[in-house]
Amino acid sequence: MESVTLRNVTVAEAYLHLLLDRGIDYFFANAGTDFAPLIEAFAKADSEGTRLPRPVTAPHENVAVSMALGHTLVSGKPQAVMVHVNVGTANALCGILNTNRIRLPMLFTAGRTPILESGMAGARGSFIHWPQEMYDQAGMVREAVKWDYELRNSQQLEAVVDRALSMATMSPAGPVYLTLPREVLAAMLPEFTYRRDGRQAIPGPALGTPSAVAEAAGLLAGARNPLAITSAVGRDQAATAALAELCQAFALPVVTYNPRFVELPSDHPMHLGTEPAPLVEDADVILVVEATAPWLPGQCRPRLGAKVIHLGEDPLYPELPMRSFPCDIAIKADPAAGLRQLAEAMAVSPAADAGLVEDRRRRVTAQRAALDQSRDAAWKQAQASSQITSLHISKAIDAVKGEALVFKESGLRGDHMRFTTPGTYFFAGAAGGLGWSLGAALGAQMAAPDKLVISTVGDGSYMFGTPLAVHYVAAEQRLPVLFVVFNNKGWHAVRRSTRGMYRDGYSARAKPEPLTDFGPDMRYEHMMEIVGGYGECVSDPDDLPKALDRALDAVKGEGRQALLNVQCLPG
């Protein structure tokens, strides 16, 4: 195998060369005193014309992690993030929780307070090097990462990098945490040799156990009223295609509950929307595919005697302390491969019945027609409103988005929009770390510079996303993202939760509602004045389409970021 030898380099330089060789394109960073050897390495490479991963300055750790997440959502390739010791790690934790729960690979790294107090290059040289040290810095993130380690010696550099990346990408994928002491990074190496491309192969796609697949196939083939529920199948576009083929061939209705991606094209005849409650209690066999929580037990439960099958990379979610959804058959498999296995087994199952399939198809066709009628009725009702609703915004975006990459952290009504191409819709805030979509849209734009990228975000989530830092990066990196703020002047998710518990309580009548409503009229569009973007506030439904056109002119025609502050009704 080909090898590369570097001479008279620091460990920091060798590390960055290794990252580039292993496919890392970007180094998203929020720097601190621990970064000095890396900053010197980047400056030297720039001076000498040497290619390294591209460093990107993120003025807040939330943005750095979210950009890496967004890039990987589009490119499929893990990227590197580095933050400042313990404090940077703490600031980045919400983003790491999201990355973990959405099962995306990421090399998340942090400096480590210098170990030595003096006497070596990189030793402590600032007051903060004492109060910032912790007994177990990695303990803050250990539950949210797949693997953590500290680089202790230059001799293990290649092995540590390869171990980190293999752990991150091995199914189920996730973030890993590597700490980098300053003295180790600063050490000089007369010579450093590494193998090209490494030798840490990861296992290929897993297949389901044949007996379990056959049993599940028999149940589904013979079911009179089956139901499939998904949430994160679309993380792999091949799995979306496999699901579409399976449910079309055997007339299996699909509900995409809290969909994280394009789970099934919205115009697919077997797509029955996003609400499982009306269908779960009638189903005799339920296939759960990549769904953390396929339904809310407080709202609905499978009927007595119904069989429930779970299929996914790790279908019982051992990382969750409590998850008690019934499971009669568990199939641990790569989703695309497992769904194809199911289709092959159903085609030859003794329970297969062409007449039963056609009965299901007629019933699902009628259910889909009723669903479309209810959506049309909801839109007609919204059009009667003199104020902008979430449906107005969703329909207006749908009319202009084309094949845009759309990020949802808002009231966006994806069920009223057309998403027919896998990999064009992302709702990745799986652990509740708000503000992720702003930075994720930037990372997606870097991964797909020729695509229109739209970030839709609620006003509360917009503030969570450290927006000034986001807009700075968009300006500095020249990323013409369109940001649409659903400004309903409050925490709608908190309102909804409170109404769910106290529908006729004091809070329902309170004005303002404590800890929920926002008082000031925030003019978010003025953020664009700071960074040279285009900003506009919209409050009339009739003005919304033209405002979107003006924003898109700035994005597409002028290469500038744009923000629409859309004042809308809650809900």
Side-chain angles (χ1 to χ4, degrees):
M1 181 175 288
E2 183 184 354
S3 63
V4 176
T5 297
L6 306 173
R7 291 182 171 83
N8 298 317
V9 294
T10 62
V11 172
E13 291 176 79
Y15 170 66
L16 294 173
H17 278 276
L18 265 176
L19 293 188
L20 182 68
D21 182 81
R22 286 356 184 213
I24 301 293
D25 299 313
Y26 289 95
F27 188 89
F28 300 104
N30 184 272
T33 58
D34 43 343
F35 278 66
L38 290 160
I39 292 170
E40 182 68 9
F42 279 121
K44 177 183 174 182
D46 186 59
S47 175
E48 296 179 348
T50 302
R51 184 167 171 254
L52 292 176
R54 179 175 163 185
V56 177
T57 300
H60 195 281
E61 294 84 354
N62 275 345
V63 181
V65 172
S66 295
M67 288 185 73
L69 184 152
H71 190 289
T72 302
L73 282 171
V74 174
S75 70
K77 298 171 58 179
Q79 301 301 316
V81 177
M82 186 164 175
V83 299
H84 177 48
V85 296
N86 60 341
V87 289
T89 300
N91 264 355
L93 185 53
C94 279
I96 294 303
L97 287 168
N98 285 336
T99 307
N100 173 286
R101 292 303 192 238
I102 205 66
R103 291 180 170 175
L104 282 183
M106 181 184 295
L107 178 59
F108 176 52
T109 68
R112 189 242 194 253
T113 298
I115 301 166
L116 298 178
E117 295 184 299
S118 63
M120 187 177 181
R124 299 183 186 188
S126 174
F127 170 80
I128 62 170
H129 290 157
W130 279 264
Q132 280 186 337
E133 187 174 25
M134 298 180 69
Y135 285 103
D136 185 12
Q137 180 175 305
M140 289 190 289
V141 298
R142 192 159 289 133
E143 192 169 340
V145 298
K146 292 180 62 182
W147 174 90
D148 70 87
Y149 197 72
E150 179 176 295
L151 180 64
R152 295 161 188 167
N153 188 284
S154 62
Q155 298 301 312
Q156 62 175 176
L157 177 61
E158 183 178 11
V160 167
V161 169
D162 285 344
R163 177 71 169 166
L165 291 174
S166 63
M167 290 296 99
T169 52
M170 184 177 66
S171 176
V176 297
Y177 184 59
L178 176 63
T179 50
L180 304 167
R182 195 167 74 156
E183 301 100 317
V184 178
L185 290 176
M188 287 297 303
L189 302 174
E191 188 175 279
F192 178 76
T193 299
Y194 63 92
R195 295 183 180 90
R196 292 297 307 272
D197 303 321
R199 295 187 64 186
Q200 295 295 316
I202 62 171
L207 296 176
T209 304
S211 59
V213 172
E215 184 181 0
L219 289 173
L220 287 166
R224 294 197 172 275
N225 195 20
L227 174 66
I229 303 174
T230 76
S231 179
V233 161
R235 180 173 46 239
D236 177 7
Q237 296 181 25
T240 297
L243 177 67
E245 293 170 7
L246 172 71
C247 64
Q248 177 63 17
F250 299 101
L252 301 180
V254 179
V255 169
T256 60
Y257 183 47
N258 273 317
R260 303 296 171 187
F261 309 99
V262 178
E263 301 290 283
L264 191 67
S266 56
D267 59 355
H268 194 288
M270 294 297 113
H271 199 316
L272 288 188
T274 60
E275 290 298 329
L279 301 169
V280 164
E281 293 179 347
D282 292 332
D284 52 359
V285 180
I286 300 174
L287 173 64
V288 176
V289 190
E290 289 293 316
T292 306
W295 59 80
L296 295 182
Q299 293 182 358
C300 63
R301 293 178 183 272
R303 71 190 195 192
L304 188 65
K307 297 296 184 181
V308 182
I309 305 158
H310 291 251
L311 184 152
E313 289 181 302
D314 213 340
L316 299 187
Y317 293 84
E319 71 272 21
L320 304 181
M322 194 63 210
R323 183 182 183 273
S324 59
F325 296 96
C327 177
D328 298 291
I329 303 174
I331 301 174
K332 186 171 183 177
D334 171 82
L339 289 167
R340 286 193 291 265
Q341 279 184 285
L342 264 182
E344 292 169 2
M346 288 177 70
V348 298
S349 171
D353 184 329
L356 195 58
V357 171
E358 289 312 307
D359 284 344
R360 292 198 298 249
R361 198 179 306 280
R362 283 192 291 270
R363 186 164 58 250
V364 176
T365 299
Q367 290 173 305
R368 176 58 191 253
L371 176 63
D372 289 340
Q373 289 175 0
S374 70
R375 289 171 173 170
D376 290 342
W379 174 226
K380 288 178 182 177
Q381 182 179 359
Q383 287 176 298
S385 171
S386 61
Q387 294 179 271
I388 296 176
T389 69
S390 60
L391 264 182
H392 284 99
I393 308 173
S394 304
K395 288 286 191 179
I397 291 175
D398 196 41
V400 299
K401 68 176 176 60
E403 294 296 300
L405 308 181
V406 178
F407 287 79
K408 167 186 162 66
E409 194 176 10
S410 64
L412 190 75
R413 295 295 302 273
D415 54 333
H416 284 256
M417 301 172 69
R418 284 179 58 85
F419 287 100
T420 58
T421 303
T424 56
Y425 171 86
F426 307 95
F427 175 40
L434 297 179
W436 62 272
S437 69
L438 301 174
L442 301 185
Q445 189 75 82
M446 298 181 89
D450 297 329
K451 286 279 192 179
L452 170 64
V453 179
I454 303 173
S455 170
T456 70
V457 61
D459 49 339
S461 292
Y462 180 74
M463 288 188 276
F464 259 121
T466 58
L468 183 57
V470 167
H471 296 312
Y472 164 82
V473 175
E476 197 267 339
Q477 295 290 328
R478 299 180 181 177
L479 302 173
V481 171
L482 171 60
F483 301 96
V484 180
V485 180
F486 286 53
N487 184 359
N488 57 27
K489 298 182 181 178
W491 302 116
H492 179 58
V494 180
R495 287 185 186 126
R496 186 172 62 242
S497 175
T498 306
R499 296 293 188 279
M501 290 187 66
Y502 304 103
R503 184 170 302 278
D504 300 315
Y506 291 98
S507 54
R509 301 187 296 273
K511 296 190 180 303
E513 185 175 340
L515 305 179
T516 303
D517 291 344
F518 298 156
D521 182 15
M522 301 292 283
R523 302 306 298 265
Y524 302 113
E525 72 276 11
H526 291 311
M527 292 288 280
M528 294 296 96
E529 297 174 12
I530 304 172
V531 294
Y534 177 83
E536 185 173 346
C537 181
V538 192
S539 58
D540 189 314
D542 294 334
D543 294 338
L544 185 56
K546 291 182 180 179
L548 262 175
D549 288 340
R550 288 188 289 270
L552 287 174
D553 284 343
V555 168
K556 294 180 175 180
E558 303 169 19
R560 293 194 292 157
Q561 60 182 303
L563 184 148
L564 291 184
N565 175 17
V566 185
Q567 297 181 334
C568 60
L569 292 170

